[in-house]
Amino acid sequence: TSLFLDSNVSFFYKYEGITYFSWKDFKLIKGYDIIFIDSYEADIEVYRRIANSCKVTVYVDDFRRLDYPEGVILNFAPDANRLFYKLREEKHSYLLGLKYLPIRNEFIDAEITKKEQIFIMMGGSDVNNLSLELIDTLKDVAIKKLIVSNDVNIANNLKKYKKVEVLHKPSDMQLVK
């Protein structure tokens, strides 16, 4: 298994063997069995090169961003069938809905208790600083806000807001808590 990541945020604290790259310089050798791609930035030519480099390509897609080459489309939104994939193409297999949600055991087994707070997690990185915009928009909401950030600069900027707790590069157990 190889993990390629186009990011300026380092995840070496959590994962080993990551190859960091940029889409504009992306090169790929042929011969992979399966490639999963999840990107908001890669263009259709990158997707075509990836599809030609492996036996099966799995496109992780939140909102039907592109007309993908032949492969598997994975969208784990609860309403993916109704919103995005009413019409299906024969060139694709579809894995749609919550039963395909990739989730770690720590989260499946967690005993969740509701608290009066807002929990915000933007995924692996927040390249557009949306965390800051969200917290600024919610600054007058009196409820505690708990926000996850992997970027040290964003995390430091978020700490200036009242009623905001920042989890910077949290472990799985911290997230479950």
Side-chain angles (χ1 to χ4, degrees), residues 10-173:
S10 174
F11 290 91
F12 285 123
Y13 71 97
K14 197 166 191 170
Y15 306 106
E16 295 177 10
I18 298 173
T19 301
Y20 288 90
F21 74 98
S22 169
W23 286 119
K24 65 181 175 75
D25 302 323
F26 183 64
K27 305 260 188 296
L28 188 64
I29 58 169
K30 291 184 183 243
Y32 288 94
D33 292 320
I34 299 173
I35 295 179
F36 284 77
I37 176 171
D38 182 2
S39 175
Y40 293 120
E41 298 175 3
D43 62 32
I44 191 65
E45 287 307 314
V46 169
Y47 281 85
R48 287 184 183 124
R49 279 186 283 159
I50 288 172
N52 289 328
S53 298
C54 63
K55 295 175 185 171
V56 177
T57 311
V58 179
Y59 308 105
V60 181
D61 182 278
D62 297 347
F63 58 94
R64 197 172 191 162
R65 187 173 85 86
L66 296 170
D67 180 17
Y68 299 104
E70 182 177 344
V72 178
I73 294 179
L74 170 62
N75 182 317
F76 36 81
D79 50 3
N81 278 317
R82 186 177 53 82
L83 283 180
F84 303 110
Y85 297 100
K86 286 185 221 175
L87 302 174
R88 300 193 186 176
E89 298 177 68
E90 285 189 31
K91 68 179 181 176
H92 297 302
S93 297
Y94 296 87
L95 303 175
L96 305 174
L98 287 175
K99 68 181 179 180
Y100 298 105
L101 178 67
I103 191 163
R104 297 184 293 275
N105 285 335
E106 291 86 352
F107 297 96
I108 293 171
D109 300 335
E111 292 183 24
I112 307 296
T113 56
K114 289 189 176 187
K115 299 177 183 174
E116 189 157 306
Q117 66 182 8
I118 299 171
F119 181 80
I120 302 168
M121 189 163 92
M122 305 295 288
S125 62
D126 183 9
V127 294
N128 294 319
N129 293 326
L130 295 177
S131 301
L132 292 168
E133 286 184 38
L134 271 170
I135 292 300
D136 194 54
T137 301
L138 297 169
K139 68 179 177 257
D140 296 327
V141 177
I143 298 172
K144 175 184 172 185
K145 287 133 265 342
L146 180 63
I147 188 160
V148 177
S149 176
N150 290 324
D151 185 289
V152 68
N153 294 323
I154 292 173
N156 287 334
N157 284 327
L158 288 167
K159 289 178 182 176
K160 69 182 179 187
Y161 290 93
K162 294 178 182 170
K163 290 200 160 254
V164 172
E165 181 181 340
V166 179
L167 293 177
H168 180 248
K169 294 185 177 181
S171 67
D172 289 346
M173 291 314 296

